[in-house]
């Protein structure tokens, strides 16, 4: 499915509808009527985070304000992502609004993110809650499984959705108003296989979470590209996102003679998997995707030697955009929540400002127009959105030293070291 510029008639229709309320479709009207009142929706936001600063619009200047709703995981094992996202969105909005811009940013819900709780039903509730505030764009989510249903509804509503860490390839195929600033799973899996080939690993094992869209997408992409690169996949094992015991799968990795283990799952189970693999006697390399970012290595520092993961950026990158972001974020919020999620949400707010300038307005239709085919430079590098609204961008490869994440290299889209 290719992205298309919205027709002039549709843009006009959307623009008129946006002046009257939250959306342009029957589905959106239904979602808004079912949503909590703004006061209730605001209460649903995180109470532990500070709201983003925005400049209230003066009378007659509403068309110069980009009203943005933001969704991320604020509770559970992935709360560290939501903390980083909240801080980054706040920081970006404050920076933009202090720069005397043509378009200012207003983060609705009093500047607070809505919690998707890494649950699809809760994600839709969060989306509906934000729609009660009449946003012109939604930023989020970080996980594919909760972004997919939001993308489908946003497309029906004609609402611009700028996904962040949702790497499942189907997200932007939901409609012309859906974009993202992260790479997609097929691309990430390809890079992981390319890295394995360059390191000389020839027998790969894969353990993936069968109940997770992200894990399935990365698994499929890695296996396809591993085989294309002459890497034999000697074992494929299943788990779930709720599993805590990986000893059976780890023993099979060893029994099948693998020298490389690919584990495309999220950070909460990564220490359990790594520990189980080392306990089973596996001494080979272990690698994951961007979902590893922020994994707790406490007490397992030695076990994480010879482990790697692909990511959207590295905080050690010396590029000016990265260095400035890392410096200010660290000074304001410390390093605990400084992760790729924070970087992606930060870039997303700046992309919306750029989209308004490109499209000539802050309404959803103008933002979609301005986002389509955009070339952008930010913390995640320089990239152009393709016909599906996806960026093809450089991939950072990180490793561990004494349990601390260390930047190893950055691979260009062609697979070459930068």
């Amino acid at each position: 499915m290719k992205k298309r510029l919205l027709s002039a008639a549709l843009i006009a229709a959307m623009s008129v509808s946006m002046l009257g309320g939250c959306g342009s479709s029957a589905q959106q009207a239904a979602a808004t009527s079912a949503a909590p009142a703004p006061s209730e929706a605001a209460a649903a936001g995180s109470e532990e985070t500070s709201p983003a600063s925005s400049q209230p619009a003066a009378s007659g200047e509403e068309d110069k304000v980009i009203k943005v709703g933001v969704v991320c995981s604020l509770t559970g094992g992935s709360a560290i992502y939501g903390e980083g996202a909240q801080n980054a969105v706040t920081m970006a909005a404050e920076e933009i609004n202090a720069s005397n811009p043509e378009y200012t940013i207003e983060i609705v819900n009093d500047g607070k993110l809505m919690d998707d709780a890494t649950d699809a039903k809760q994600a839709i509730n969060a989306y509906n809650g934000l729609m009660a505030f009449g946003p012109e764009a939604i930023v989020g989510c970080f996980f594919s499984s909760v972004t997919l249903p939001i993308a489908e509804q946003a497309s029906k509503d004609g609402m611009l959705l700028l996904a962040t860490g949702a790497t499942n390839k189907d997200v932007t195929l939901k409609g012309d108003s859906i974009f993202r600033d992260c790479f997609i799973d097929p691309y990430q899996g390809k890079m992981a296989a390319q890295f394995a080939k360059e390191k000389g690993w020839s027998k790969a094992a894969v353990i993936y979470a069968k109940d997770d869209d992200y894990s399935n997408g990365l698994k499929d992409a890695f296996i396809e590209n591993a085989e294309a690169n002459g890497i034999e996949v000697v074992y494929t094992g299943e788990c779930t996102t709720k599993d805590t015991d990986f000893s059976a799968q780890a023993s099979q990795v060893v029994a099948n003679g693998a020298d490389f283990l690919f584990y495309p799952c999220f950070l909460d189970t990564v220490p359990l998997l790594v520990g189980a693999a080392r306990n089973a006697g596996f001494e080979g390399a272990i690698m994951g995707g961007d979902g590893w970012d922020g994994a707790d290595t406490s007490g397992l520092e030695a076990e994480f030697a010879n482990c790697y993961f692909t990511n959207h950026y590295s905080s050690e990158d010396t590029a000016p955009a990265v260095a400035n972001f890392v410096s200010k974020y660290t000074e304001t919020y410390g390093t605990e929540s400084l992760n790729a999620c924070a970087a992606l949400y930060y870039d997303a707010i700046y992309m919306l400002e750029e989209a308004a300038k490109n499209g000539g307005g802050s309404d959803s239709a103008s933002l979609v127009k301005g986002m389509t085919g955009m070339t952008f430079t930010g913390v995640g590098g320089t990239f152009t959105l393709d016909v599906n609204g996806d960026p093809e961008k450089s991939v950072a490869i990180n490793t561990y030293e004494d349990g601390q994440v260390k930047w190893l290299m950055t691979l260009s889209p062609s697979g070459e070291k930068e």
Side-chain angles (χ1 to χ4, degrees), residues 122-392:
Q122 179 59 30
I124 287 295
N125 290 339
Y127 172 84
N128 289 339
L130 289 173
M131 290 297 287
F133 295 97
E136 306 296 352
I138 302 290
V139 171
C141 304
F142 191 63
F143 298 104
S144 297
S145 59
V146 291
T147 306
L148 284 164
I150 288 181
E152 186 169 348
Q153 186 60 49
S155 179
K156 293 176 182 178
D157 296 342
M159 174 58 57
L160 187 151
L161 176 69
L162 179 50
T164 49
T167 53
N168 184 283
K169 63 181 179 62
D170 292 335
V171 168
T172 53
L173 301 184
K174 295 297 183 181
D176 295 341
S177 64
I178 315 301
F179 305 85
R180 70 178 122 209
D181 65 350
C182 59
F183 44 62
I184 62 176
D185 289 333
Y187 180 67
Q188 186 173 195
K190 174 185 175 181
M191 288 300 194
Q194 178 67 31
F195 176 70
K197 178 184 177 181
E198 291 181 357
K199 296 292 285 187
W201 300 316
S202 59
K203 292 186 176 183
V206 180
I207 300 174
Y208 73 101
K210 62 182 180 181
D211 59 336
D212 181 65
D213 292 326
Y214 166 84
S215 192
N216 276 272
L218 260 181
K219 176 261 297 183
D220 291 341
F222 174 79
I223 289 176
E224 178 183 350
N225 286 279
E227 293 172 345
N229 281 292
I231 299 172
E232 181 185 3
V233 179
V234 297
Y235 169 71
T236 302
E238 295 180 346
C239 63
T240 73
T241 55
K242 305 299 183 183
D243 285 353
T244 58
D245 184 357
F246 298 91
S247 57
Q249 297 96 324
S251 65
Q252 288 299 311
V253 172
V254 175
N256 283 277
D259 58 6
F260 175 77
L261 170 58
F262 189 58
Y263 182 67
C265 297
F266 286 107
L267 76 166
D268 53 341
T269 61
V270 169
L272 301 173
L273 179 282
V274 171
R278 298 309 188 207
N279 286 339
F282 182 69
E283 298 179 351
I286 307 175
M287 188 172 190
D290 59 311
W292 279 39
D293 191 25
D296 184 6
T297 64
S298 302
L300 294 168
E301 290 84 357
E303 285 82 352
F304 269 86
N306 202 22
C307 287
Y308 310 85
F309 66 97
T310 51
N311 209 2
H312 304 274
Y313 96 118
S314 169
S315 62
E316 296 179 324
D317 194 327
T318 56
V322 178
N324 291 337
F325 167 72
V326 170
S327 176
K328 184 167 184 179
Y329 189 101
T330 301
E331 179 182 348
T332 308
Y333 304 109
T335 60
E336 184 176 358
S337 61
L338 177 61
N339 49 41
C341 180
L344 290 164
Y345 275 81
Y346 179 84
D347 276 353
I349 300 303
Y350 273 95
M351 287 177 71
L352 290 175
E353 182 203 20
E354 188 71 21
K357 291 187 287 187
N358 293 345
S362 63
D363 60 285
S364 293
S366 295
L367 292 174
V368 169
K369 178 182 177 182
M371 189 72 68
T372 303
M374 172 190 290
T375 296
F376 177 80
T377 298
V379 179
T382 297
F383 55 82
T384 299
L385 298 180
D386 67 14
V387 293
N388 290 328
D390 300 327
E392 189 174 77

